Amino acid sequence: MLFLVAALLLLGVVLGSAAHLPLPVTLAVAGVIGVWLIVFAARERLSHRKG
């Protein structure tokens, strides 16, 4: 849960600074955060299924 909060906080910081960054950099960072959230969700789902 702490990782999810950290990811959302980081997303907020990145979105706040997106106006000052070039579009490709913003999209790359958003993609990394999105992949991180997908991996986190998959790990959580698998851990709940196993036990």
Side-chain angles (χ1 to χ4, degrees), residues 11-34:
L11 181 62
V13 169
V14 169
L15 287 177
S17 64
H20 304 286
L21 293 173
L23 184 60
V25 174
T26 304
L27 293 176
V29 172
V32 168
I33 293 172

Side-chain angles (χ1 to χ4, degrees), residues 3 14-15 17 26 31 35 41 44 46 49:
F3 291 114
V14 169
L15 287 177
S17 64
T26 304
V35 168
E44 284 293 312
L46 288 176
R49 285 187 181 176

